[in-house]
Amino acid sequence: MTKGKLLYEGKAKKVFETEDPSLLIVSYKDDATAFNGEKKGTIVGKGVVNNRTSNLLMHYLEKKGVPTHFVEELNDRETVVKRVEIVPLEVIVRNISAGSFAHRYGTAEGIVFDTPTLEFSYKNDALGDPLINEYHIIALKLATREELDTIRDYAFRVDKELQAFWSARGITLVDFKLEFGRLADGTVILADEISPDTCRLWDSKTQKKLDKDRFRRDLGGVEEAYLEILDRVTAKDAE
Ligand code: 5GP
């Protein structure tokens, strides 16, 4: 598999065409942004951690019955994925209050919910990724009712499986963001990445944050936290 034309360069990844029109190569960068691009920086080694972590998690989820775009890891930073048309939604599942939830509703961080919550944001940088409800998603034709039903079902299954995965590694899955895409035949599959950039991961014993909040909030020890996640993901063979 060889890299062809650069198709897209985002904040954290580059995407290249390949000789196969149904496959793309994703290349993970060390660049980090937060607050809709207002804060910029570099997290040395992040691309390697996110590539490996995301691939292991996608492989794990695939085995648990959630279809994903993952095809094959090429090297430290590059992976072959299925080409999809991204559904322009951030699908956010929360098990514990934190981040924008705690801010919006004026609650403390760390309140454990009885059942997980689900929310959607409209992926639109110019608008700052606003929250959006299911009626508005359908009105704007961002996804159909059937697609939303599938996405909701997969999102909660991912939560259940990943809570178990992380818990076995001494980590609490606080919340996370997923993105989905459509294959050429319209099948909806999990796309983008699942990594410390897109999840809140707290050490189960100490509650230490082991994710991008260390960068967002200038907590220090950012690189160490990412490496800690890679260590824990790889130390125990992914089931
Ligand atoms: P919050 O809405 O509290 O800021 O984020 C909830 C969860 O979704 C966190 O795990 C956060 O990392 C993830 N998330 C939300 N929006 C984005 C985004 O634009 N980029 C990334 N990488 N993660 C996001």
Side-chain angles (χ1 to χ4, degrees), residues 60-79:
Y60 173 82
L61 290 169
E62 195 84 51
K63 281 195 295 179
K64 301 287 182 185
V66 179
T68 78
H69 72 164
F70 174 69
V71 176
E72 183 193 4
E73 186 170 294
L74 291 178
N75 55 50
D76 270 4
R77 287 178 185 270
E78 294 177 335
T79 294

Side-chain angles (χ1 to χ4, degrees), residues 208-224:
K208 183 179 174 188
K209 298 180 197 305
L210 296 171
D211 56 59
K212 196 173 165 190
D213 270 355
R214 302 205 74 81
F215 169 77
R216 294 186 186 105
R217 302 182 191 183
D218 294 321
L219 298 177
V222 187
E223 276 89 2
E224 291 80 357

Side-chain angles (χ1 to χ4, degrees), residues 171-207:
I171 288 174
T172 303
L173 178 61
V174 174
D175 58 29
F176 58 91
K177 184 257 306 179
L178 301 175
E179 294 186 24
F180 292 85
R182 300 178 189 96
L183 293 171
D185 69 0
T187 308
V188 170
I189 64 172
L190 186 58
D192 195 50
E193 68 178 281
I194 310 176
S195 71
D197 269 17
T198 64
C199 303
R200 285 198 172 90
L201 303 165
W202 294 353
D203 181 276
S204 303
K205 282 207 190 89
T206 65
Q207 314 300 315

